[in-house]
Amino acid sequence: MSLQVEKLEKNMAKLTIEASAEDFENAVQKAYLKMKGRINIPGFRKGKAPRKMIEKMYGQGIFFEDAANALIPEQYEKAIEDCDLEIVSQPEIDVVQIESGKPFIFTATVAVKPEVTLGEYKGVEVPKSEVEVTDEEIQAEIDKEREKNSRMIDIDDRAVENGDIIKLDFDGSVDGVPFEGGKAENYELTIGSGSFIPGFEDQLIGAKIGEELDVNVTFPEEYHAKDLAGKAAVFKCKVNEIKVKELPEADDEFASEVSEFETMDEYKADIKKNLLERKERTAKSQKENAVVEKIVENATMEIPDAMVDTQIRNQMEDFARRMKSQGLTMEQYFQFTGMDVDKMREQMRPEALKRIQNSLVLEAVAKAENIEISDERVDEEITKLADVYKMEADKLKELMGEYEREQMKKDLAIQAAVDLVREAAKEV
């Protein structure tokens, strides 16, 4: 195999790869041996026709496509090992010469990892994040827990009030004519939730169990069912049940039942601590994002489109795997959402570009700061992962190849670069 490398504009390169005539002939022969059992030639048993006879009947190039398809990946793999380029995209293949008795020549146009010129990356200014927990936020957490531990109480000695949960029958009509979806039995409705047409729930306040009443409403002009939009309707209603949600008192007894603490004060202190830790993590993440965004703005680089296309392809494959884990195919997802492949690609493009820029800039920071990750540090990370997956660290190390270890080193170096620029940043 011989290789020529031509640098192109915008961090692209063209590899001209030449496989010997002998290699091409071997690939053609393999293609013949693979395909001959599927070819019928009069006068020969199936699979017994000589290659020359097949080529005479169907053309000398009958096996060329299969031969090329086998030869290209093999030769391309050798080529990228021999050249010193850091290729960051799928190759665009173009066959230049494919003839019997001659070398097989093709080109592979690829994106090359861009050079990054860093601007200011230490001491960049980002907005200051205030981290505090209010009494209202603590109470909101307590109320959530009270909701979880609430119980429903049947009411039979009074009429409907705001906040009640009722079950009712209704039958709606416009100008005396029933309409689709306007009828239900034992429908559960929370009064005051605003889930029905404006004015509907208010008119049920004061109704008693078993009482029948007419509720008069007008559908909004922007109602989703165009044939009902703006029209007056009458709903014949009957309340069947009234319930109220009873929340437990927020006292020491409640605190001891829902937590490990004996008093409400201790429970509140723990809620405050957890909320503070959560907000600090969020603030740290927001600061990191702001710092990285700033240093990307300060850097200079030229991202080839092919590199972005490859990142989009990877993101789409990840998305497809997530959909599959939820029991959905991409075809079903597109059907349900009205999306298609082209729309999804365009939707993913900004995020793909951002990921590439962030990664390249942080790699450049790690290089500028001589950040190197030791094998011992990698082993520590593997031990942490093993704990998460409930595995033995040595077993996980066996499963990881050299590529995975190098990728982990790269990821750890990038995280170290993130830590460095975050800690050096100025909050204003």
Side-chain angles (χ1 to χ4, degrees):
M1 184 209 74
S2 66
L3 170 67
Q4 292 180 353
V5 178
E6 179 186 357
K7 297 284 183 72
L8 306 176
E9 293 180 342
K10 297 183 179 180
N11 291 306
M12 298 294 290
K14 182 189 282 187
L15 313 182
T16 300
I17 302 164
E18 181 179 314
S20 68
E22 182 181 357
D23 285 339
F24 181 60
E25 169 57 27
N26 289 338
V28 172
Q29 179 64 15
K30 286 179 182 177
Y32 156 69
L33 294 173
K34 185 178 178 181
M35 291 177 63
K36 67 177 184 176
R38 302 197 298 269
I39 298 175
N40 289 315
I41 298 290
F44 293 90
R45 283 184 297 143
K46 194 171 183 180
K48 298 298 182 179
R51 177 178 150 189
K52 288 190 179 298
M53 185 64 69
I54 297 172
E55 289 174 336
K56 183 177 181 180
M57 176 166 285
Y58 291 101
Q60 192 175 38
I62 183 174
F63 302 116
F64 283 6
E65 183 177 350
D66 280 7
N69 288 340
L71 204 53
I72 287 171
E74 171 192 311
Q75 296 293 311
Y76 175 73
E77 193 67 33
K78 289 179 181 177
I80 59 175
E81 288 176 5
D82 290 349
C83 72
D84 58 358
L85 300 177
E86 192 165 353
I87 294 168
V88 291
S89 75
Q90 295 292 323
E92 185 178 318
I93 302 296
D94 185 29
V95 174
V96 176
Q97 177 173 285
I98 182 166
E99 294 181 42
S100 183
K102 293 184 178 181
F104 173 64
I105 304 172
F106 67 97
T107 61
T109 304
V110 294
V112 179
K113 188 175 182 179
E115 289 290 330
V116 176
T117 303
L118 288 172
E120 181 185 23
Y121 65 89
K122 283 184 179 178
V124 297
E125 295 183 349
V126 294
K128 189 172 184 178
S129 298
E130 298 292 342
V131 178
E132 62 174 343
V133 176
T134 65
D135 290 341
E136 290 76 17
E137 289 170 325
I138 295 171
Q139 188 59 50
E141 291 297 308
I142 293 172
D143 289 341
K144 284 181 191 175
E145 200 61 40
R146 292 174 69 205
E147 283 281 347
K148 289 181 189 175
N149 289 272
S150 64
R151 60 176 184 149
M152 302 302 293
I153 305 295
D154 287 313
I155 301 295
D156 55 16
D157 59 353
R158 65 165 173 79
V160 174
E161 295 179 359
N162 195 37
D164 287 348
I165 300 165
I166 68 169
K167 285 188 177 179
L168 78 156
D169 301 337
F170 60 82
D171 191 356
S173 61
V174 172
D175 296 329
V177 180
F179 53 86
E180 187 178 353
K183 183 176 182 178
E185 293 181 356
N186 275 332
Y187 187 92
E188 187 170 283
L189 173 65
T190 300
I191 302 299
S193 64
S195 54
F196 264 44
I197 305 160
F200 185 97
E201 294 167 28
D202 293 341
Q203 293 178 57
L204 292 172
I205 294 175
K208 295 179 179 178
I209 292 175
E211 180 181 346
E212 296 183 358
L213 71 157
D214 288 349
V215 172
N216 295 280
V217 294
T218 300
F219 284 98
E221 293 290 343
E222 300 300 320
Y223 195 65
H224 62 87
K226 299 301 181 187
D227 57 328
L228 297 175
K231 293 185 178 178
V234 178
F235 286 85
K236 294 189 176 297
C237 300
K238 187 180 79 166
V239 176
N240 298 324
E241 292 181 21
I242 302 174
K243 293 178 182 287
V244 293
K245 186 183 289 185
E246 186 180 77
L247 302 180
E249 289 293 325
D251 53 19
D252 291 345
E253 182 180 354
F254 171 73
S256 66
E257 287 176 355
V258 300
S259 73
E260 59 186 280
F261 305 101
E262 294 301 319
T263 68
M264 180 56 68
D265 286 342
E266 291 174 308
Y267 181 42
K268 284 183 176 180
D270 186 62
I271 289 173
K272 184 174 183 177
K273 171 177 162 290
N274 292 333
L275 284 174
L276 193 61
E277 288 175 355
R278 192 190 310 165
K279 285 194 169 190
E280 285 172 346
R281 287 194 298 271
T282 300
K284 178 182 176 183
S285 177
Q286 289 173 340
K287 184 179 178 181
E288 283 182 0
N289 292 338
V291 172
V292 172
E293 185 176 340
K294 199 79 171 178
I295 65 175
V296 167
E297 286 177 9
N298 294 341
T300 304
M301 68 199 106
E302 188 172 24
I303 311 295
D305 289 339
M307 187 178 187
V308 180
D309 290 339
T310 297
Q311 177 64 34
I312 292 171
R313 187 181 298 113
N314 293 340
Q315 288 176 206
M316 289 189 74
E317 288 173 356
D318 286 342
F319 186 83
R321 279 192 288 270
R322 291 199 301 275
M323 287 297 100
K324 187 176 181 181
S325 70
Q326 296 173 29
L328 275 180
T329 65
M330 287 300 288
E331 289 74 17
Q332 289 171 321
Y333 173 78
F334 290 146
Q335 184 181 351
F336 295 153
T337 62
M339 186 77 71
D340 60 34
V341 172
D342 291 336
K343 283 181 185 176
M344 179 172 273
R345 286 176 61 82
E346 283 312 302
Q347 196 176 77
M348 287 182 169
R349 185 167 292 275
E351 177 63 22
L353 178 60
K354 182 179 178 181
R355 287 187 186 184
I356 291 168
Q357 290 172 328
N358 290 357
S359 180
L360 289 174
V361 167
L362 291 168
E363 282 181 32
V365 170
K367 184 177 180 181
E369 294 292 326
N370 295 314
I371 295 173
E372 294 185 1
I373 305 299
S374 67
D375 289 335
E376 290 75 19
R377 176 70 183 87
V378 173
D379 287 340
E380 288 175 15
E381 194 65 21
I382 291 174
T383 300
K384 288 180 184 176
L385 279 175
D387 288 341
V388 170
Y389 292 112
K390 310 296 182 189
M391 295 177 62
E392 293 181 6
D394 289 341
K395 184 67 176 176
L396 185 55
K397 286 179 188 177
E398 289 176 15
L399 294 172
M400 292 178 67
E402 192 57 35
Y403 172 81
E404 285 78 16
R405 286 186 67 91
E406 288 303 312
Q407 188 61 46
M408 187 174 283
K409 275 189 178 182
K410 179 181 173 182
D411 292 343
L412 290 169
I414 285 177
Q415 186 54 54
V418 171
D419 295 339
L420 184 148
V421 296
R422 185 194 67 248
E423 290 166 9
K426 300 172 184 174
E427 290 186 302
V428 294

